[in-house]
Amino acid sequence: MVDAVRMKKPAVHKHTPAGGAPTAPHTADEAQARAAAAHTDEPRIDIPQVTDLLLGTWAETRREAREMIKNPDFWRIEGQPMPEHRDRVLTQLKLLVEAGGSRRAFPKEFGGLEDNGANIAGFEELVLADPSLQIKSGVQWGLFGSAVYQLGTQKHWDAWLSDIIDLSLPGAFAMTETGHGSDVAAIGTTATYDPQTEEFVIHTPFRGAWKDYLGNAALHGKAATVFAQLITGGVNYGVHCFFVPIRDDEGAFLPGVGGEDDGYKGGLNGIDNGRLHFDQVRVPRFNLLDRYGQVAADGSYTSDIPSPGRRFFTMLGALVQGRVSLDGASTTGAALALDIAITYANQRRQFDSGAGTPEVVLLDYGKHQRRLLPRLATVYAQAFAHDVFLRKFDGVFSGRADTPTEREDLETLAAALKPLSTWNALDTIQECREACGGSGFLAENRLVGLHADLDVYVTFEGDNNILLQLVGKRLLSDYAKQFKGKDAATVARIAARQTAGDLFHGAGLRRLGQAVGDLGSTARSVERGLREDQQHELLAGRVQQMIADIAGRLRPASKLSPADAAGLFNANQAELIEAARAHGELLQWEAFTDALATVQDAGTRHVLTWLRDLFGLSLIEKHLAWYIINGRLSTQRAAAVSSYIDRLCTRLRPHAQDLVDAWGFEPEHVRAPIALGAEQERQDEARAYFAQLAASGQAPTPEKKIKKS
Amino acid sequence: MVDAVRMKKPAVHKHTPAGGAPTAPHTADEAQARAAAAHTDEPRIDIPQVTDLLLGTWAETRREAREMIKNPDFWRIEGQPMPEHRDRVLTQLKLLVEAGGSRRAFPKEFGGLEDNGANIAGFEELVLADPSLQIKSGVQWGLFGSAVYQLGTQKHWDAWLSDIIDLSLPGAFAMTETGHGSDVAAIGTTATYDPQTEEFVIHTPFRGAWKDYLGNAALHGKAATVFAQLITGGVNYGVHCFFVPIRDDEGAFLPGVGGEDDGYKGGLNGIDNGRLHFDQVRVPRFNLLDRYGQVAADGSYTSDIPSPGRRFFTMLGALVQGRVSLDGASTTGAALALDIAITYANQRRQFDSGAGTPEVVLLDYGKHQRRLLPRLATVYAQAFAHDVFLRKFDGVFSGRADTPTEREDLETLAAALKPLSTWNALDTIQECREACGGSGFLAENRLVGLHADLDVYVTFEGDNNILLQLVGKRLLSDYAKQFKGKDAATVARIAARQTAGDLFHGAGLRRLGQAVGDLGSTARSVERGLREDQQHELLAGRVQQMIADIAGRLRPASKLSPADAAGLFNANQAELIEAARAHGELLQWEAFTDALATVQDAGTRHVLTWLRDLFGLSLIEKHLAWYIINGRLSTQRAAAVSSYIDRLCTRLRPHAQDLVDAWGFEPEHVRAPIALGAEQERQDEARAYFAQLAASGQAPTPEKKIKKS
């Protein structure tokens, strides 16, 4: 099925023989490359098997979603003006409802499927149609709907969930304020309980407390889940969420509610982001979404979670799914960009090699391989890590594995992976755009639009640097736990013995196989690169040592004044974030390696092992100075890392098209003309023209040849 | 003058005392910081002096251009639909003509000023108004007009220059084809001379030979300077340029001419990029722009430059000014982004430090400093390098220093600097956008638009990787020259003795002051960082050794088959490009250092020296593994580089606002509300609200405090 549709793309670089004119000059070296690849010793991947692997646990839902969005009504129209784009995306949301796409996460009594993993998987694929569609869906069902469902109780579900699911009640998720994004606990909006009327008074005390950047706020939202400081009996019980109607049926703001359009943004202009403010707006006591904190008619406050801090983080944690879906959608977006750029690089030619041969296809250039192949390896790693992440999410939210520890681990995983995948998407899409030159800058070839739309993924749903800092703090606290109450000698003994697996019990690190000293004692392994266990040792050892080093530097903090302690932490902030990033990279590497272990087909395993090695070695190359300075790699071995990466690129080059084809994108998902045959046609036509000219005897003589004669 | 207007910006973080309410809580730490900075021992920059330094040799023209674009008619309207944007930019070009902005480079007999340096300087500043304006101006006068002027002769000037200068003859520069961008020599369009009619027949033989991505081609161009293979008497004399009318006065294509609109692009949508193709279009022999090659009535070809290759590169070299202006405009664009992000970072607060203090301004975070300050240092380096570059350009094009060597050096400089500054602009603008969070994603705050518009700068006017490869080849050939005709023993002796200054005579490298062995023998200099001469030694030594290493690896090429030799070169391509990048970085560092030497004011020199050190050390940190592996830095010294950068960031932090203020951008150039007081107002209002609430005794009690009691 997938293969049949893909045949619309030129087949020359696929594993099947070329369908084009076999005598065209450009097929000669390709035929040779294919012949080499087809040699019995040369492994090939089994494309459909790899597609299954990449689609992961919820492959079926992903396939359904991809089938649905083959309908052109779901496609982004490049350059469409904002007002029309917003209308279009609203219509697409309605189509999604009709197709049953909005109900997967919700309870069965409201027509839902209670399938959290499938829900996220399905939404992620929408990025291929239009990222605005993905994110506006996320606003409606993943944030607004999810707030009602996760933070509310049965009475709220009965009141609103059906209308939310079928989009008759579009809503905004009003958490962020102009003045506070990352620091949600400090928002300024207040919800003061009035026991006289049994109402909450929602109020915006100053401009910085306006709710801001909210999808559905500028135009379509009829209600909002508003986060505000809950004040009752003169006490501030911290941030809670309230259901607040904002517009009447004609779309006019209700009394006391006001707002503004955020206007044009860098991307996602199909979403009507805007601001909201409230002037003493009264909502019934009923409208407090009271799963984690309740206010009785008399104004008394109760909660199952006595700690205000833990209660706050529990509420935020209930909304982790946004981060999950950004991790997946960024990965899919980056993979699409690579599909476009690598397909083009296999067809586009520029410059002859100086050896009298035909012009060279871009992907045969060493630099072009270096630009695209390590990024392809990274996107594979992200896909496998995302499936691990999504399974953990599903475990927690299905209730199958819903413990405080699992929730905490899930949040750490989200905070570690979302930054890496969203940043990498921007980096990869940009490199792909540049690798396609001028044609990459045309909107029709998708890359610039993908970059513009995915740009904000790195700062919303948790700013990437803030998320990584959270991961870093978790790593530090896990590290500190083991030393608790132990004397200095014991600490030293533990430190000497410890492995990352011991340290970070909850965060996915496996036990290290061998001590650092074992690493690379023979010249032979320089030749062979770094083995799997050596890569793991290096990557895990780096996280461990960075955390231990930072912990050591922070140790004096307990004896300092609060201000000096804060200063000491601040001096280590950049490195703590770097350590968290290293931790995320390790998780991705481990996920790739675990996925490899499940592959049965020998050829597939062989090629994917090269790809995993390319990912691992690229990470090590990126941090090479650290490995040398910290005695983890000798300078001799370090010097070999780059040449090993070069060799891996050479090995993987003949497989590059297979590896992007394995993502299973069909022409309706790709849509970029340069990756759907336009470039190949132009190359074929040009070559045919010159061949015919030469055959005709009419070709002009090059000036150089006259000079020689 | 500049200062008077800048006062519209909140003055709290400037060197003058704050004007705001002195009792507002947020001024306390600022007052302290200012007090520290005002201490007699603490150097400050003299802002107007630094502005002069940054504006460089053609400061007067830059000031005039900035004054002109204070007129809102020149400003980009964020989110304006493409058709209206295109109209607007055309109108802006007319305003520019009225203001005399289009004639600076042209001959006096046509009303010009024959001032090449000022011409480029003036155009570069237009990026502050709208990059589409900058680039469309570049198309009309820097490319189309310049082709007529630089490649044509008096008769062509008489025919067309006046109309080009006053925009009554808008034109396209038709060099690039869909099939050939970087490899101009291989374009497919033909211009075949017909001696019967004394005409050239311009023809597009296949789709890949359509001219593409041409500004002015979709709508406004009436003529084009078309690059085509000149064929006469059955001989192809290579690429030459022809003046070809394309549209009549009603805007309809002339017979035989066709085209297409390139449609929406990733940015620069104020420019009507499009495609052109020609079906046997006849133009008079007159229309060959024949400065470098002439065809007589009988069809015989003559040229002062016998070598076809050298003739081709001479023609291309005459059009170097595009690269010059991109280097400057990228620098200005990146500086604007830093002005916005650093001003915001000095006003925006998020999270308290955990020490009971007020919320912290973003720029006080260690990570935020690390994100923005090294980029600020880089933009300073770029500005100084650009002035060197522009002076060299002016020397060559004014005829004052127009020798083949100077021209070759100018092109190498262009190929080295344009890639670095255009890439750095994207990197810097993106980091600034992220550093401003959600507000950075709003179009009104400029950053996303700047990124979108400047995106294509990295691949047009010479793809950055291709340009760097040219630089690499030049470095290799300079390297090889010194060994010519010498035996192996002599070569070894030279290699042992050589310094970068000896090697690369034409490319701006100065003589190295000391041998590598001298470097850092005392622990004391670890403490003090790396001195100027040590930084230079490291940066220059790296270029030198990389080139020597690559040359060594390429040596066997002469004994290989052409195909194997090409393969060997290809295997070294990525590293050659890296060596060229290192060369460009060195040139920037040297320009910064030379600029420092001209500074008289002690405080200014002190602070700018820190900034230069930050630039140098950041480069060294980026390539740290290379320095260790190649024995240039001990692991101990290498480990100290990062902490020295941290210390420099801490030292420079109080000067960050001064250093962006010194760019001299006025509110009409900045235009981003978050950098013009909107954020500071919100912060002031919020703090006043909480202060008043506290004073009123009505503030709710935090839940935590009740629990404790």
Side-chain angles (χ1 to χ4, degrees):
Chain A
M1 170 74 189
V2 169
D3 267 348
V5 181
R6 286 291 282 192
M7 289 300 290
K8 290 183 203 167
K9 278 200 192 186
V12 277
H13 287 278
K14 306 195 58 165
H15 51 301
T16 50
T23 54
H26 74 280
T27 57
D29 45 334
E30 287 162 17
Q32 195 179 4
R34 272 201 308 283
H39 189 278
T40 45
D41 290 349
E42 175 72 13
R44 305 288 292 187
I45 66 165
D46 179 316
I47 294 179
Q49 270 193 34
V50 176
T51 304
D52 288 343
L53 203 61
L54 289 169
L55 290 177
T57 308
W58 286 272
E60 203 45 53
T61 308
R62 292 188 194 278
R63 286 200 169 91
E64 278 170 29
R66 288 189 184 182
E67 199 58 37
M68 178 185 71
I69 57 172
K70 285 187 185 174
N71 177 352
D73 290 342
F74 283 109
W75 301 353
R76 174 181 158 130
I77 297 174
E78 304 296 335
Q80 188 175 36
M82 186 174 80
E84 291 88 327
H85 192 187
R86 287 173 167 187
D87 287 349
R88 181 177 174 85
V89 172
L90 181 65
T91 306
Q92 290 169 343
L93 255 64
K94 291 173 186 161
L95 291 177
L96 202 63
V97 171
E98 286 167 22
S102 68
R103 63 202 178 93
R104 293 195 188 96
F106 292 103
K108 289 185 176 152
E109 58 180 308
F110 302 102
L113 304 177
E114 296 181 8
D115 189 343
N116 289 281
N119 180 54
I120 298 294
F123 277 121
E124 287 168 356
E125 299 297 321
L126 300 180
V127 78
L128 295 166
D130 185 344
S132 285
L133 167 61
Q134 183 225 334
I135 298 300
K136 181 142 170 148
S137 302
V139 167
Q140 173 66 15
W141 297 297
L143 292 172
F144 172 65
S146 202
V148 170
Y149 180 36
Q150 300 290 342
L151 305 181
T153 47
Q154 183 74 41
K155 61 180 185 277
H156 302 117
W157 307 348
D158 293 340
W160 301 309
L161 270 192
S162 292
D163 291 347
I164 290 172
I165 293 169
D166 73 9
L167 199 64
S168 52
L169 178 59
F173 178 79
M175 177 188 275
T176 293
E177 297 177 353
T178 307
H180 287 96
S182 293
D183 187 5
V184 175
I187 55 171
T189 305
T190 52
T192 310
Y193 184 66
D194 177 355
Q196 305 297 318
T197 60
E198 292 191 31
E199 287 171 321
F200 284 99
V201 183
I202 310 292
H203 187 64
T204 307
F206 46 82
R207 175 61 186 82
W210 284 26
K211 298 296 178 181
D212 207 345
Y213 316 116
L214 321 175
N216 273 341
L219 289 178
H220 302 138
K222 291 185 181 168
T225 46
V226 177
F227 290 77
Q229 307 286 349
L230 190 163
I231 299 164
T232 179
V235 176
N236 183 345
Y237 288 92
V239 174
H240 288 66
C241 187
F242 301 83
F243 182 96
V244 183
I246 59 169
R247 282 193 179 86
D248 62 23
D249 287 342
E250 280 66 51
F253 277 129
L254 293 172
V257 181
E260 263 179 13
D261 196 320
D262 274 326
Y264 280 91
K265 306 183 298 292
L268 297 181
N269 280 306
I271 306 173
D272 56 325
N273 292 82
R275 309 181 178 111
L276 294 175
H277 52 86
F278 305 94
D279 182 11
Q280 313 283 354
V281 172
R282 290 180 167 261
V283 296
R285 186 168 65 95
F286 179 94
N287 287 23
L288 166 64
L289 299 174
D290 61 351
R291 178 153 169 189
Y292 296 107
Q294 306 81 32
V295 172
D298 67 355
S300 57
Y301 181 86
T302 50
S303 172
D304 288 347
I305 309 176
S307 154
R310 209 159 70 74
R311 189 191 315 134
F312 172 71
F313 285 111
T314 303
M315 285 196 253
L316 290 203
L319 304 163
V320 72
Q321 64 170 283
R323 292 171 194 176
V324 185
S325 72
L326 296 186
D327 182 57
S330 298
T331 301
T332 304
L336 175 61
L338 285 163
D339 180 291
I340 294 168
I342 286 178
T343 303
Y344 183 69
N346 264 325
Q347 297 174 4
R348 171 76 172 183
R349 291 163 182 277
Q350 202 76 179
F351 292 106
D352 60 38
S353 66
T357 52
E359 290 177 301
V360 178
V361 294
L362 299 186
L363 201 55
D364 282 338
Y365 286 107
K367 177 67 182 176
H368 217 76
Q369 293 166 17
R370 266 281 193 166
R371 293 168 73 180
L372 298 179
L373 300 184
R375 289 178 169 89
L376 180 60
T378 303
V379 171
Y380 264 72
Q382 281 178 207
F384 298 131
H386 179 66
D387 203 57
V388 171
F389 181 17
L390 192 50
R391 287 199 305 270
K392 187 172 274 280
F393 167 76
D394 188 66
V396 168
F397 280 76
S398 68
R400 280 197 314 278
D402 186 4
T403 66
T405 305
E406 284 287 311
R407 286 209 171 229
E408 200 185 353
D409 290 351
L410 172 64
E411 280 161 45
T412 305
L413 201 55
L417 294 182
K418 180 266 188 185
L420 269 59
S421 53
T422 55
W423 269 328
N424 183 57
L426 292 189
D427 168 73
T428 296
I429 295 165
Q430 182 65 26
E431 193 68 43
C432 289
R433 134 54 206 133
E434 295 178 23
C436 296
S439 59
F441 194 58
L442 299 185
E444 65 177 25
N445 289 320
R446 306 280 313 272
L447 299 165
V448 289
L450 276 174
H451 192 281
D453 286 336
L454 269 59
D455 183 357
V456 77
Y457 290 28
V458 303
T459 53
F460 73 1
E461 290 281 327
D463 177 273
N464 282 358
N465 280 301
I466 305 281
L467 290 177
L468 288 179
Q469 184 171 300
L470 288 176
V471 173
K473 286 182 174 173
R474 170 80 194 276
L475 295 175
L476 280 176
S477 92
D478 281 1
Y479 179 81
K481 268 179 201 155
Q482 66 184 324
F483 300 121
K484 217 158 200 174
K486 298 197 173 74
D487 65 23
T490 315
V491 166
R493 218 165 34 241
I494 294 173
R497 233 186 22 220
Q498 75 207 353
T499 65
D502 296 328
L503 273 185
F504 309 114
H505 59 274
L509 290 186
R510 300 176 308 183
R511 197 171 183 91
L512 295 179
Q514 49 168 190
V516 173
D518 297 356
L519 217 165
S521 46
T522 61
R524 188 180 167 80
S525 49
V526 175
E527 177 52 34
R528 292 172 49 226
L530 290 162
R531 293 188 318 265
E532 178 174 309
D533 54 347
Q534 295 172 321
Q535 293 172 39
H536 187 249
E537 175 71 31
L538 288 169
L539 296 171
R542 180 160 178 263
V543 181
Q544 175 186 350
Q545 190 184 326
M546 287 181 90
I547 290 296
D549 288 349
I550 296 167
R553 290 200 297 274
L554 293 179
R555 202 164 301 147
S558 56
K559 289 166 206 144
L560 298 177
S561 72
D564 288 346
L568 184 61
F569 183 84
N570 196 27
N572 286 280
Q573 185 192 28
E575 189 162 345
L576 184 63
I577 288 171
E578 190 54 31
R581 191 195 297 257
H583 177 65
E585 291 168 346
L586 171 63
L587 295 175
Q588 292 177 331
W589 184 94
E590 290 183 344
F592 199 152
T593 302
D594 288 345
L596 263 183
T598 69
V599 172
Q600 300 300 317
D601 178 66
T604 302
R605 199 169 55 237
H606 207 125
V607 175
L608 290 189
T609 300
W610 288 337
L611 197 66
R612 194 279 321 273
D613 288 351
L614 179 57
F615 177 63
L617 275 283
S618 295
L619 291 176
I620 291 163
E621 186 186 46
K622 192 164 74 163
H623 309 301
L624 204 52
W626 188 94
Y627 288 109
I628 308 172
I629 288 172
N630 290 279
R632 307 277 170 145
L633 280 178
S634 67
T635 53
Q636 185 206 0
R637 290 183 65 82
V641 167
S642 292
S643 52
Y644 190 59
I645 290 175
D646 290 338
R647 286 208 299 281
L648 282 169
C649 284
T650 307
R651 279 183 192 161
L652 284 163
R653 190 263 167 270
H655 304 278
Q657 192 68 48
D658 289 352
L659 289 166
V660 291
D661 286 350
W663 284 91
F665 300 131
E666 301 185 44
E668 295 87 346
H669 306 128
V670 177
R671 304 200 297 279
I674 50 164
L676 293 174
E679 182 61 23
Q680 189 63 54
E681 269 173 43
R682 287 192 289 261
Q683 295 290 341
D684 292 346
E685 186 200 2
R687 259 135 244 289
Y689 166 82
F690 285 115
Q692 200 179 351
L693 192 65
S696 73
Q698 303 290 311
T701 314
E703 184 183 7
K704 275 184 195 172
K705 289 208 179 165
I706 319 183
K707 307 240 161 180
K708 279 181 190 162
S709 64
Chain B
M1 169 77 192
V2 168
D3 267 346
V5 181
R6 287 289 285 191
M7 288 301 289
K8 290 184 199 167
K9 280 198 188 184
V12 277
H13 286 278
K14 305 194 60 164
H15 50 300
T16 50
T23 54
H26 73 282
T27 57
D29 45 338
E30 287 162 16
Q32 196 178 4
R34 270 201 310 280
H39 190 277
T40 44
D41 291 348
E42 176 72 13
R44 306 286 294 185
I45 66 165
D46 178 316
I47 294 180
Q49 270 193 36
V50 176
T51 304
D52 288 341
L53 203 62
L54 289 169
L55 290 177
T57 308
W58 287 271
E60 203 46 50
T61 309
R62 292 189 194 277
R63 287 201 168 92
E64 279 170 29
R66 288 190 185 182
E67 198 58 37
M68 178 185 71
I69 58 173
K70 285 187 185 173
N71 176 352
D73 290 343
F74 283 109
W75 301 352
R76 174 181 157 131
I77 298 173
E78 304 296 335
Q80 188 175 35
M82 185 173 80
E84 291 88 328
H85 192 187
R86 287 173 169 188
D87 286 349
R88 181 178 174 84
V89 172
L90 181 64
T91 306
Q92 290 169 343
L93 256 64
K94 291 173 186 162
L95 291 177
L96 202 62
V97 171
E98 287 168 22
S102 68
R103 63 202 179 93
R104 294 195 188 96
F106 293 104
K108 289 185 177 152
E109 58 180 309
F110 303 102
L113 303 177
E114 295 181 7
D115 189 343
N116 290 280
N119 180 55
I120 297 294
F123 277 122
E124 287 168 355
E125 299 298 320
L126 301 180
V127 78
L128 295 167
D130 185 345
S132 285
L133 168 60
Q134 183 225 335
I135 298 300
K136 183 144 171 148
S137 302
V139 167
Q140 173 66 15
W141 297 296
L143 292 172
F144 172 65
S146 201
V148 170
Y149 179 37
Q150 299 290 342
L151 305 181
T153 48
Q154 183 74 40
K155 61 180 185 275
H156 303 117
W157 307 348
D158 293 340
W160 301 308
L161 270 193
S162 292
D163 291 348
I164 290 172
I165 292 169
D166 74 8
L167 199 64
S168 51
L169 178 59
F173 178 79
M175 177 187 274
T176 294
E177 298 176 351
T178 308
H180 287 96
S182 293
D183 188 5
V184 175
I187 54 171
T189 304
T190 51
T192 310
Y193 184 66
D194 177 355
Q196 304 297 317
T197 61
E198 294 193 30
E199 288 172 320
F200 285 99
V201 183
I202 310 292
H203 188 64
T204 307
F206 45 82
R207 174 60 187 81
W210 284 26
K211 297 297 177 181
D212 206 347
Y213 316 117
L214 321 175
N216 273 342
L219 288 177
H220 302 138
K222 290 185 181 169
T225 46
V226 177
F227 289 78
Q229 307 286 348
L230 190 163
I231 299 163
T232 179
V235 176
N236 183 346
Y237 287 92
V239 174
H240 288 65
C241 186
F242 301 82
F243 183 95
V244 183
I246 59 169
R247 281 193 178 87
D248 62 22
D249 288 342
E250 279 68 53
F253 276 128
L254 293 171
V257 181
E260 263 180 14
D261 196 321
D262 274 325
Y264 280 91
K265 306 183 298 291
L268 296 182
N269 279 307
I271 306 173
D272 56 324
N273 292 82
R275 307 179 179 112
L276 294 175
H277 52 85
F278 304 94
D279 182 11
Q280 313 283 355
V281 172
R282 289 180 167 261
V283 296
R285 185 168 64 94
F286 179 93
N287 287 23
L288 167 64
L289 299 174
D290 61 351
R291 178 155 171 187
Y292 296 108
Q294 306 82 33
V295 172
D298 67 356
S300 57
Y301 181 86
T302 51
S303 172
D304 288 345
I305 309 176
S307 153
R310 209 159 70 73
R311 190 192 313 136
F312 172 72
F313 284 112
T314 302
M315 285 196 255
L316 290 203
L319 304 163
V320 72
Q321 64 170 282
R323 291 170 194 176
V324 185
S325 73
L326 296 187
D327 182 57
S330 299
T331 301
T332 305
L336 175 62
L338 285 163
D339 179 291
I340 294 168
I342 286 178
T343 302
Y344 183 69
N346 264 326
Q347 297 174 4
R348 172 76 171 184
R349 291 164 181 277
Q350 201 77 181
F351 292 107
D352 60 40
S353 66
T357 53
E359 290 177 301
V360 178
V361 295
L362 299 186
L363 201 56
D364 282 337
Y365 288 107
K367 177 68 182 175
H368 217 77
Q369 294 167 16
R370 266 280 193 169
R371 293 168 74 180
L372 297 179
L373 299 184
R375 289 178 168 88
L376 180 60
T378 303
V379 171
Y380 264 71
Q382 282 178 208
F384 299 131
H386 179 67
D387 202 57
V388 172
F389 181 17
L390 191 51
R391 287 199 305 269
K392 188 173 274 282
F393 167 76
D394 188 67
V396 168
F397 280 76
S398 68
R400 279 197 313 279
D402 186 5
T403 65
T405 304
E406 283 287 310
R407 286 207 173 230
E408 201 186 350
D409 290 351
L410 172 63
E411 280 161 42
T412 305
L413 200 56
L417 294 182
K418 179 265 190 184
L420 269 59
S421 53
T422 54
W423 269 328
N424 183 57
L426 292 189
D427 168 72
T428 296
I429 295 165
Q430 181 66 27
E431 194 68 43
C432 289
R433 140 43 213 140
E434 295 178 23
C436 295
S439 59
F441 194 58
L442 299 185
E444 65 176 25
N445 289 320
R446 308 278 313 273
L447 299 165
V448 289
L450 275 175
H451 192 280
D453 286 336
L454 268 59
D455 183 357
V456 77
Y457 290 28
V458 304
T459 53
F460 73 1
E461 291 280 326
D463 177 274
N464 282 357
N465 280 300
I466 305 281
L467 291 177
L468 287 179
Q469 185 171 301
L470 289 177
V471 173
K473 286 181 175 175
R474 170 80 194 276
L475 294 175
L476 280 175
S477 93
D478 281 1
Y479 179 82
K481 268 178 202 157
Q482 65 184 329
F483 299 122
K484 218 159 201 174
K486 299 199 172 72
D487 65 24
T490 315
V491 166
R493 219 165 33 241
I494 294 173
R497 237 188 15 221
Q498 74 206 354
T499 65
D502 296 328
L503 272 183
F504 310 113
H505 59 275
L509 291 185
R510 300 177 305 182
R511 197 173 182 91
L512 296 178
Q514 51 167 190
V516 173
D518 297 355
L519 218 165
S521 46
T522 61
R524 189 181 167 79
S525 50
V526 174
E527 178 51 35
R528 293 172 50 225
L530 291 162
R531 292 188 319 265
E532 177 174 309
D533 54 347
Q534 297 172 322
Q535 293 173 37
H536 187 249
E537 175 71 32
L538 288 168
L539 296 171
R542 180 159 179 263
V543 181
Q544 175 186 351
Q545 190 183 328
M546 287 181 90
I547 290 296
D549 289 349
I550 295 167
R553 291 202 296 274
L554 293 179
R555 203 165 299 146
S558 56
K559 291 166 205 145
L560 297 176
S561 72
D564 288 346
L568 185 61
F569 183 84
N570 196 27
N572 285 280
Q573 185 192 29
E575 189 161 345
L576 184 63
I577 288 171
E578 190 55 32
R581 190 195 299 257
H583 177 65
E585 291 167 346
L586 171 63
L587 295 175
Q588 292 177 332
W589 184 94
E590 290 182 345
F592 200 153
T593 302
D594 289 346
L596 262 184
T598 69
V599 173
Q600 299 300 319
D601 177 68
T604 302
R605 199 169 55 237
H606 207 125
V607 175
L608 290 189
T609 300
W610 289 338
L611 197 66
R612 194 278 323 275
D613 287 350
L614 180 58
F615 177 62
L617 276 284
S618 295
L619 292 176
I620 291 164
E621 185 186 47
K622 192 164 73 164
H623 310 300
L624 205 52
W626 188 94
Y627 288 109
I628 309 171
I629 289 172
N630 289 278
R632 306 277 171 145
L633 280 178
S634 67
T635 54
Q636 186 207 359
R637 290 183 64 82
V641 167
S642 293
S643 52
Y644 190 59
I645 289 175
D646 290 337
R647 287 208 298 280
L648 282 170
C649 284
T650 306
R651 279 183 193 163
L652 283 163
R653 189 262 167 270
H655 305 279
Q657 192 68 49
D658 289 351
L659 289 166
V660 292
D661 286 350
W663 285 92
F665 300 131
E666 301 184 44
E668 295 87 346
H669 305 128
V670 176
R671 305 201 295 279
I674 49 164
L676 293 174
E679 181 61 23
Q680 189 62 55
E681 269 174 42
R682 287 191 290 262
Q683 295 290 341
D684 291 346
E685 186 200 0
R687 256 136 247 289
Y689 166 82
F690 284 116
Q692 199 178 354
L693 192 65
S696 73
Q698 302 290 311
T701 313
E703 184 184 7
K704 276 184 193 170
K705 290 209 177 162
I706 318 183
K707 307 240 160 177
K708 279 182 189 160
S709 63

